[in-house]
């Protein structure tokens, strides 16, 4: 007997977390597994941020806070939006949640009714469609092929948008493809969105500091006429190496931010107080190391892409941002007699001891995602193992 809800029963588990757990289980058995599955920087949280957390503990700042963020953090976020994106959000237009996932979930929970639709370009982050389903909405996935840089075209948006569409989700720099939308890309979508005044835009910009193209621009900065219809989501997890601190934030219209706070009042309440004070230091403190870390990620990207494109049966576009490579592997799968990307990733793990994530989890089948958020030495070892595995393609 099961008493689980139908919505939960229909929701798939996170493929990234599942692959990471399987790698941990194999390591516990003494197997030397290299995990390139999780979207987590291998850098440590900077010392000034950790010291700010310690100071907050010593000062006794350990109680409940305002449900959607302390004033000091909201002010730091407001300054960060203005500094990085030329966006003006007052504290009443800013939400702080326990993680970036929570920001998105709270926004959807505050706005979706059963049957409402959410347009999601694919390949996409695994959790977008699942959150929509859990809340009774309908995810409308729109395939965006590699030959268009995995970007959403205006004609494809027009073909999938309806009067039931409540949200359009955009992610730049993107997970899993590393796609970066430029001003011209957003401008091409503007006419379509203008015709649907009740459409909201969720712009997930969690990887904004990991743009290697120099072309990144915040959606609301590129299209200021949509400022009041946009939730600009971000957080400290990726750029500041604070994944475990669980702080996500967003700027948006006040009515939406109030609605998100109302959801939090009856679910999580506030994000951790100490994490909030640490995030004040992250956003207000020195930012120079962000440039150094971006350069390190870029070096890793270049190394991994050079090795991947040399492997038989694989293709790999050079990602413009984030720290992922998305690798179509249809030809390699065919020659290896592998029927699905899930089987491919399982064999890479069990035979080559390299953990990656199936592309189908991101609505990009016959592919896999690899995270290069690891030291060069680890990446080189992983590429050597994959080279040995895929060399069988040459001898089908």
């Amino acid at each position: 007997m099961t008493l689980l809800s139908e919505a939960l029963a229909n929701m798939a588990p996170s493929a990234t977390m599942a692959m990471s757990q399987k790698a941990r289980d194999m390591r516990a058995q003494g197997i030397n597994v290299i995990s390139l599955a999780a979207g987590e920087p291998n850098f440590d949280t900077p010392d000034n941020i950790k010291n700010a957390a310690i100071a907050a503990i010593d000062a006794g700042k350990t109680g409940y806070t305002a449900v959607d963020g302390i004033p000091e953090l909201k002010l730091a976020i407001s300054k960060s939006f203005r500094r990085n994106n030329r966006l003006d959000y007052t504290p009443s237009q800013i939400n702080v949640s326990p993680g970036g996932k929570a920001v998105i979930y709270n926004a959807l929970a505050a706005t979706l009714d059963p049957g409402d639709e959410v347009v999601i370009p694919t390949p996409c982050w695994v959790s977008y469609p699942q959150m929509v389903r859990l809340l009774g909405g309908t995810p409308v996935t729109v395939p965006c092929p590699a030959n268009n840089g995995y970007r959403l075209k205006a004609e494809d948006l027009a073909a999938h948008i309806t009067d039931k569409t409540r949200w359009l989700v955009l992610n730049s720099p993107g997970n899993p493809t590393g796609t970066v939308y430029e001003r011209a890309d957003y401008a091409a979508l503007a006419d379509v969105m203008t015709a649907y005044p009740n459409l909201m835009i969720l712009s997930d910009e969690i990887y904004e500091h990991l743009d290697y193209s120099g072309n990144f621009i915040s959606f609301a900065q590129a299209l200021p006429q949509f400022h009041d219809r946009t939730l600009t989501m971000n957080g400290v997890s990726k750029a500041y190496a604070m994944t475990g601190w669980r702080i996500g934030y967003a700027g948006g219209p006040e009515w939406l931010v109030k609605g998100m706070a109302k959801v939090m009042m009856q679910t999580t309440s506030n994000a951790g107080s100490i994490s909030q004070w640490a995030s004040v230091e992250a956003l207000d403190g020195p930012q120079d190391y962000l440039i150094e870390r971006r350069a390190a990620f870029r070096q890793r990207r270049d190394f991994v892409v050079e090795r991947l494109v040399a492997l038989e049966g694989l293709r790999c576009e050079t990602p413009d941002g984030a720290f992922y490579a998305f690798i179509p592997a249809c030809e390699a799968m065919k020659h290896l007699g592998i029927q699905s990307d899930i089987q491919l990733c399982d064999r890479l793990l069990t035979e080559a001891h390299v953990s990656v994530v199936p592309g189908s989890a991101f609505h990009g089948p016959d592919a896999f995602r690899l995270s290069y958020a690891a030291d060069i030495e680890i990446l080189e070892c992983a590429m050597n193992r994959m080279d040995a595995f895929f060399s069988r393609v040459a001898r089908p």
Side-chain angles (χ1 to χ4, degrees):
M1 183 182 73
T2 178
L3 299 178
L4 294 176
S5 71
E6 183 178 347
L8 186 62
N10 291 332
M11 187 175 69
S14 168
T16 52
M17 291 186 176
M19 291 301 295
S20 296
Q21 184 59 50
K22 191 168 184 178
R24 283 192 289 268
D25 292 342
M26 290 178 64
R27 285 190 186 124
Q29 299 169 22
I31 301 172
N32 180 10
V33 172
I34 298 175
S35 181
L36 304 180
E40 182 171 33
N42 68 313
F43 295 111
D44 192 14
T45 303
D47 287 342
N48 64 305
I49 298 173
K50 292 190 285 187
N51 290 335
I54 294 169
I57 294 172
D58 289 341
K61 297 176 179 179
T62 55
Y64 291 126
T65 74
V67 68
D68 65 345
I70 59 175
E72 292 83 355
L73 180 52
K74 287 193 171 191
L75 180 59
I77 292 167
S78 179
K79 291 191 292 185
S80 177
F81 274 131
R82 195 172 299 116
R83 177 178 68 240
N84 296 323
N85 314 115
R86 299 180 184 175
L87 296 178
D88 287 320
Y89 292 113
T90 65
S92 64
Q93 295 176 307
I94 290 173
N95 169 274
V96 178
S97 291
K101 280 186 178 179
V103 171
I104 297 169
Y105 185 87
N106 291 337
L108 296 175
T111 55
L112 289 183
D113 288 318
D116 283 346
E117 297 175 351
V118 178
V119 172
I120 305 169
T122 62
C124 68
W125 180 49
V126 296
S127 294
Y128 296 140
Q130 302 298 340
M131 288 184 187
V132 174
R133 289 192 185 97
L134 187 60
L135 291 165
T138 301
V140 178
T141 55
V142 183
C144 300
N147 60 13
N148 193 48
Y150 298 111
R151 297 177 183 88
L152 178 64
K153 291 184 177 181
E155 55 266 35
D156 292 330
L157 174 61
H160 290 83
I161 199 169
T162 73
D163 290 334
K164 293 182 180 180
T165 306
R166 188 70 166 131
W167 286 94
L168 166 63
V169 177
L170 295 171
N171 178 204
S172 176
N175 175 9
T177 62
T179 292
V180 173
Y181 279 77
E182 301 178 19
R183 188 187 298 269
D185 299 316
Y186 291 140
L189 302 173
D191 287 343
V192 178
M193 296 184 292
T194 299
Y196 293 87
N198 292 325
L199 172 70
M200 294 288 295
I201 299 90
L202 196 162
S203 185
D204 181 347
E205 301 174 7
I206 193 78
Y207 295 99
E208 72 161 324
H209 290 296
L210 296 175
D211 164 44
Y212 316 113
S213 68
N215 295 320
F216 168 80
I217 185 169
S218 180
F219 174 87
Q221 180 184 356
L223 297 178
Q225 66 270 37
F226 289 94
H227 183 277
D228 294 337
R229 292 168 51 184
T230 301
L231 185 71
T232 305
M233 175 266 170
N234 212 310
V236 297
S237 294
K238 309 299 183 180
Y240 298 94
M242 296 176 67
T243 50
W245 298 76
R246 308 313 302 139
I247 295 292
Y249 60 82
E254 188 170 343
W255 64 265
L256 175 57
V257 169
K258 286 183 176 179
M260 293 167 68
K262 193 173 182 180
V263 173
M264 296 175 70
M265 288 176 189
Q266 303 298 345
T267 54
T268 59
S269 295
N270 60 273
S273 59
I274 303 306
S275 294
Q276 290 191 61
W277 284 106
S279 298
V280 172
E281 175 62 22
L283 297 176
D284 276 350
Q287 306 289 302
D288 292 349
Y289 62 89
L290 297 178
I291 300 173
E292 298 170 4
R293 292 186 174 185
R294 181 167 62 245
F297 280 124
R298 181 169 189 158
Q299 179 188 16
R300 299 169 184 182
R301 178 203 66 171
D302 293 345
F303 171 78
V304 165
V305 170
E306 181 179 2
R307 292 293 301 270
L308 285 170
V309 296
L311 297 181
E312 290 286 345
L314 300 183
R315 295 188 294 110
C316 181
E317 302 294 329
T318 301
D320 286 329
F323 40 62
Y324 309 107
F326 192 71
I327 302 105
C330 187
E331 181 182 341
M333 289 165 54
K334 177 181 177 181
H335 286 298
L336 289 167
I338 294 175
Q339 302 302 313
S340 71
D341 52 21
I342 296 173
Q343 183 185 5
L344 171 64
C345 292
D346 190 66
R347 285 187 57 180
L348 274 169
L349 180 57
T350 56
E351 297 177 28
H353 299 161
V354 176
S355 176
V356 294
V357 187
S360 55
F362 307 97
H363 292 260
D366 297 334
F368 62 91
R369 188 198 75 173
L370 174 156
S371 169
Y372 50 85
D375 290 336
I376 284 286
E377 293 78 14
I378 293 174
L379 293 173
E380 182 172 16
C381 184
M383 291 301 103
N384 289 341
R385 293 181 184 185
M386 291 176 65
D387 191 4
F389 179 86
F390 284 107
S391 66
R392 307 174 201 176
V393 173
R395 300 183 298 276

